[in-house]
Coordinates of all heavy atoms in Angstrom, one line a residue:
F440 N 0.8 -1.2 0.0 CA 0.0 0.0 0.0 C 0.9 1.3 0.0 O 0.7 2.1 0.9 CB -0.9 0.0 1.2 CG -1.7 -1.3 1.3 CD1 -1.4 -2.3 2.2 CD2 -2.8 -1.5 0.5 CE1 -2.1 -3.4 2.3 CE2 -3.5 -2.7 0.6 CZ -3.2 -3.7 1.5
T441 N 1.7 1.4 -1.0 CA 2.7 2.5 -1.0 C 2.6 3.3 -2.3 O 3.5 4.0 -2.7 CB 4.1 1.9 -0.9 OG1 4.4 0.9 -1.9 CG2 4.3 1.2 0.4
A442 N 1.5 3.2 -3.1 CA 1.4 3.9 -4.3 C 0.9 5.3 -4.1 O 1.5 6.3 -4.7 CB 0.4 3.1 -5.3
V443 N -0.1 5.5 -3.4 CA -0.8 6.8 -3.2 C -1.3 6.9 -1.8 O -1.8 5.9 -1.3 CB -1.9 7.0 -4.3 CG1 -2.6 8.4 -4.1 CG2 -1.3 7.0 -5.7
S444 N -1.4 8.1 -1.2 CA -2.1 8.3 0.0 C -3.1 9.4 -0.2 O -2.9 10.3 -1.0 CB -1.1 8.7 1.2 OG -0.5 9.9 1.0
G445 N -4.2 9.4 0.5 CA -5.3 10.4 0.4 C -6.0 10.6 1.6 O -6.0 9.7 2.5
T446 N -6.7 11.7 1.7 CA -7.4 12.1 2.9 C -8.9 12.3 2.6 O -9.2 13.0 1.6 CB -6.9 13.4 3.6 OG1 -5.5 13.3 3.7 CG2 -7.4 13.6 5.0
F447 N -9.8 11.7 3.4 CA -11.2 11.7 3.0 C -12.0 11.9 4.3 O -11.6 11.7 5.4 CB -11.6 10.3 2.4 CG -10.9 10.0 1.2 CD1 -9.7 9.4 1.2 CD2 -11.5 10.3 -0.1 CE1 -9.0 9.1 0.0 CE2 -10.8 10.0 -1.3 CZ -9.6 9.4 -1.2
I448 N -13.3 12.4 4.1 CA -14.2 12.6 5.1 C -15.3 11.5 5.1 O -15.8 11.2 4.0 CB -14.9 14.0 5.0 CG1 -13.9 15.1 5.0 CG2 -16.0 14.2 6.1 CD1 -13.1 15.2 6.3
Y449 N -15.5 10.9 6.2 CA -16.6 9.8 6.3 C -17.5 10.2 7.4 O -17.2 10.8 8.4 CB -15.9 8.5 6.6 CG -15.4 7.7 5.4 CD1 -14.3 8.2 4.8 CD2 -16.1 6.6 4.9 CE1 -13.8 7.5 3.7 CE2 -15.6 5.9 3.8 CZ -14.5 6.4 3.2 OH -14.0 5.7 2.1
Q450 N -18.8 9.8 7.2 CA -19.8 10.0 8.3 C -20.7 8.7 8.2 O -21.2 8.4 7.1 CB -20.6 11.2 8.1 CG -21.4 11.6 9.3 CD -22.0 13.0 9.2 OE1 -22.5 13.5 8.2 NE2 -21.9 13.7 10.3
N451 N -20.9 8.1 9.4 CA -21.7 6.9 9.5 C -21.2 5.8 8.5 O -22.0 5.1 8.0 CB -23.2 7.2 9.2 CG -23.8 8.2 10.2 OD1 -23.5 8.1 11.4 ND2 -24.6 9.1 9.7
G452 N -19.9 5.8 8.4 CA -19.3 4.7 7.5 C -19.4 5.0 6.0 O -19.0 4.1 5.2
V453 N -19.9 6.1 5.6 CA -20.0 6.4 4.2 C -19.1 7.6 3.8 O -19.0 8.6 4.5 CB -21.5 6.8 3.9 CG1 -21.6 7.2 2.4 CG2 -22.4 5.7 4.2
E454 N -18.4 7.4 2.7 CA -17.5 8.5 2.2 C -18.3 9.7 1.7 O -19.3 9.6 0.9 CB -16.6 8.0 1.1 CG -15.6 9.0 0.6 CD -15.1 8.8 -0.8 OE1 -15.0 7.6 -1.2 OE2 -14.9 9.8 -1.5
L455 N -17.9 10.9 2.2 CA -18.5 12.2 1.7 C -17.7 12.9 0.7 O -18.1 13.9 0.1 CB -18.9 13.1 2.9 CG -19.7 12.4 4.0 CD1 -20.1 13.5 5.1 CD2 -21.0 11.8 3.4
G456 N -16.4 12.5 0.6 CA -15.6 13.2 -0.4 C -14.1 13.3 0.1 O -13.9 13.2 1.3
S457 N -13.2 13.6 -0.8 CA -11.8 13.9 -0.5 C -11.7 15.3 0.1 O -12.5 16.2 -0.3 CB -10.9 13.7 -1.7 OG -11.2 14.6 -2.7
I458 N -10.6 15.5 0.8 CA -10.4 16.9 1.4 C -9.0 17.3 1.2 O -8.6 18.4 1.7 CB -10.7 16.8 3.0 CG1 -10.9 18.2 3.6 CG2 -9.6 16.0 3.7 CD1 -12.1 18.9 3.1
A459 N -8.2 16.6 0.3 CA -6.8 17.0 0.0 C -6.4 16.3 -1.3 O -7.0 15.4 -1.7 CB -5.9 16.6 1.1
N460 N -5.4 16.9 -1.9 CA -4.8 16.3 -3.1 C -4.2 14.9 -2.8 O -3.7 14.8 -1.7 CB -3.7 17.2 -3.7 CG -4.3 18.4 -4.4 OD1 -5.5 18.7 -4.3 ND2 -3.4 19.1 -5.1
A461 N -4.3 14.0 -3.7 CA -3.6 12.7 -3.6 C -2.1 13.0 -3.6 O -1.6 13.9 -4.2 CB -4.0 11.8 -4.7
R462 N -1.4 12.1 -2.9 CA 0.0 12.2 -2.7 C 0.7 11.0 -3.2 O 0.3 9.8 -2.9 CB 0.4 12.4 -1.2 CG -0.5 13.5 -0.5 CD -0.4 13.4 1.0 NE -1.4 14.2 1.6 CZ -2.6 13.6 2.1 NH1 -2.8 12.4 1.9 NH2 -3.5 14.4 2.6
N463 N 1.8 11.1 -4.0 CA 2.5 10.0 -4.5 C 4.0 10.3 -4.3 O 4.4 11.3 -3.7 CB 2.2 9.7 -5.9 CG 2.5 10.8 -6.9 OD1 3.3 11.7 -6.6 ND2 1.9 10.8 -8.0
A464 N 4.9 9.4 -4.8 CA 6.3 9.6 -4.5 C 6.9 10.8 -5.2 O 8.0 11.3 -4.8 CB 7.0 8.3 -5.0
A465 N 6.2 11.4 -6.2 CA 6.7 12.5 -6.9 C 6.3 13.9 -6.2 O 6.6 14.9 -6.7 CB 6.1 12.6 -8.3
M466 N 5.6 13.8 -5.1 CA 5.2 15.0 -4.3 C 6.4 15.8 -3.9 O 7.4 15.2 -3.5 CB 4.4 14.6 -3.1 CG 3.8 15.7 -2.3 SD 3.2 15.2 -0.7 CE 4.7 15.1 0.2
A467 N 6.4 17.1 -4.0 CA 7.5 17.9 -3.7 C 7.9 17.8 -2.2 O 7.0 17.7 -1.4 CB 7.2 19.4 -4.0
E468 N 9.2 17.7 -2.0 CA 9.7 17.5 -0.6 C 9.3 18.7 0.3 O 9.1 18.5 1.5 CB 11.2 17.4 -0.6 CG 11.7 16.1 -1.2 CD 13.2 16.0 -1.1 OE1 13.8 16.9 -0.5 OE2 13.8 15.0 -1.5
T469 N 9.1 19.9 -0.3 CA 8.8 21.1 0.5 C 7.3 21.0 1.0 O 6.9 21.7 1.9 CB 9.0 22.4 -0.3 OG1 8.3 22.2 -1.6 CG2 10.4 22.6 -0.6
A470 N 6.5 20.1 0.4 CA 5.2 19.9 0.9 C 5.1 19.1 2.2 O 4.1 19.2 2.9 CB 4.3 19.2 -0.2
G471 N 6.1 18.3 2.5 CA 6.1 17.5 3.7 C 6.4 16.1 3.4 O 6.9 15.7 2.3
T472 N 6.1 15.2 4.3 CA 6.3 13.7 4.2 C 4.9 13.1 4.1 O 4.0 13.4 4.9 CB 7.1 13.2 5.3 OG1 6.4 13.4 6.6 CG2 8.5 13.8 5.4
N473 N 4.7 12.1 3.2 CA 3.4 11.6 2.9 C 3.2 10.2 3.5 O 2.1 9.6 3.3 CB 3.1 11.6 1.4 CG 4.2 10.9 0.6 OD1 4.8 10.0 1.1 ND2 4.4 11.4 -0.6
G474 N 4.2 9.6 4.0 CA 4.1 8.3 4.7 C 4.3 7.1 3.7 O 4.3 5.9 4.2
L475 N 4.4 7.3 2.4 CA 4.5 6.2 1.5 C 5.9 5.5 1.5 O 6.0 4.4 1.1 CB 4.3 6.8 0.0 CG 2.9 7.4 -0.2 CD1 2.9 8.0 -1.6 CD2 1.8 6.3 0.0
D476 N 6.9 6.1 2.2 CA 8.2 5.4 2.4 C 8.2 4.7 3.7 O 9.3 4.2 4.1 CB 9.3 6.5 2.3 CG 9.2 7.5 3.4 OD1 8.1 7.5 4.1 OD2 10.1 8.4 3.5
G477 N 7.1 4.6 4.4 CA 7.0 3.8 5.7 C 7.3 4.7 6.9 O 7.1 4.2 8.0
N478 N 7.7 6.0 6.7 CA 7.9 6.9 7.8 C 6.6 7.6 8.1 O 5.7 7.7 7.3 CB 9.0 7.9 7.4 CG 10.4 7.2 7.3 OD1 10.7 6.4 8.2 ND2 11.1 7.5 6.2
P479 N 6.5 8.2 9.4 CA 5.3 8.9 9.7 C 5.1 10.1 8.8 O 6.0 10.6 8.1 CB 5.7 9.4 11.2 CG 6.7 8.4 11.7 CD 7.5 8.0 10.5
V480 N 3.9 10.6 8.8 CA 3.4 11.7 8.0 C 3.5 13.0 8.7 O 3.2 13.1 9.9 CB 2.0 11.5 7.5 CG1 1.4 12.7 6.7 CG2 1.9 10.2 6.7
F481 N 4.0 14.1 8.0 CA 3.8 15.4 8.5 C 3.7 16.4 7.3 O 4.6 16.5 6.5 CB 4.9 15.9 9.4 CG 4.7 17.2 9.9 CD1 3.7 17.5 10.9 CD2 5.4 18.3 9.4 CE1 3.5 18.7 11.4 CE2 5.1 19.6 9.9 CZ 4.2 19.8 10.9
L482 N 2.6 17.1 7.2 CA 2.4 18.0 6.1 C 1.8 19.3 6.8 O 0.9 19.3 7.6 CB 1.3 17.5 5.1 CG 1.7 16.2 4.4 CD1 0.4 15.4 4.1 CD2 2.5 16.4 3.2
D483 N 2.4 20.5 6.4 CA 1.9 21.7 6.9 C 2.1 22.8 5.8 O 2.5 22.6 4.7 CB 2.5 22.1 8.2 CG 4.0 22.5 8.0 OD1 4.5 22.5 6.9 OD2 4.7 22.8 9.1
R484 N 1.7 24.0 6.2 CA 1.8 25.2 5.3 C 3.0 26.1 5.6 O 3.0 27.3 5.1 CB 0.5 25.9 5.3 CG -0.7 25.1 5.0 CD -2.0 25.9 5.0 NE -3.2 25.0 4.8 CZ -3.6 24.5 3.7 NH1 -3.0 24.9 2.6 NH2 -4.6 23.7 3.6
S485 N 3.9 25.7 6.3 CA 5.0 26.6 6.7 C 5.9 27.0 5.5 O 6.4 28.1 5.5 CB 5.9 25.9 7.7 OG 6.5 24.7 7.2
I486 N 6.1 26.1 4.5 CA 6.9 26.5 3.3 C 5.9 26.8 2.1 O 6.2 27.8 1.4 CB 7.8 25.3 2.9 CG1 8.8 25.1 4.1 CG2 8.6 25.6 1.7 CD1 9.7 23.9 3.9

């Protein structure tokens, strides 16, 4: 499960939609870490 990561909103077990762009290995390093390399995730707006 290392191809893409994504963030979604769910309510009562049903998906209501995505809330962020999908992330893959080509994501810019300045955007943060996406967890696809097995390390913890951290993404913010500082850069």
Side-chain angles (χ1 to χ4, degrees):
F440 307 104
T441 57
V443 178
S444 67
T446 313
F447 299 84
I448 301 298
Y449 275 73
Q450 193 167 45
N451 299 319
V453 177
E454 182 202 329
L455 304 186
S457 66
I458 196 67
N460 286 8
R462 314 165 191 94
N463 59 23
M466 185 190 79
E468 291 185 1
T469 52
T472 58
N473 54 32
L475 298 175
D476 60 356
N478 292 312
V480 173
F481 182 73
L482 300 153
D483 69 1
R484 303 183 186 278
S485 61
I486 298 177

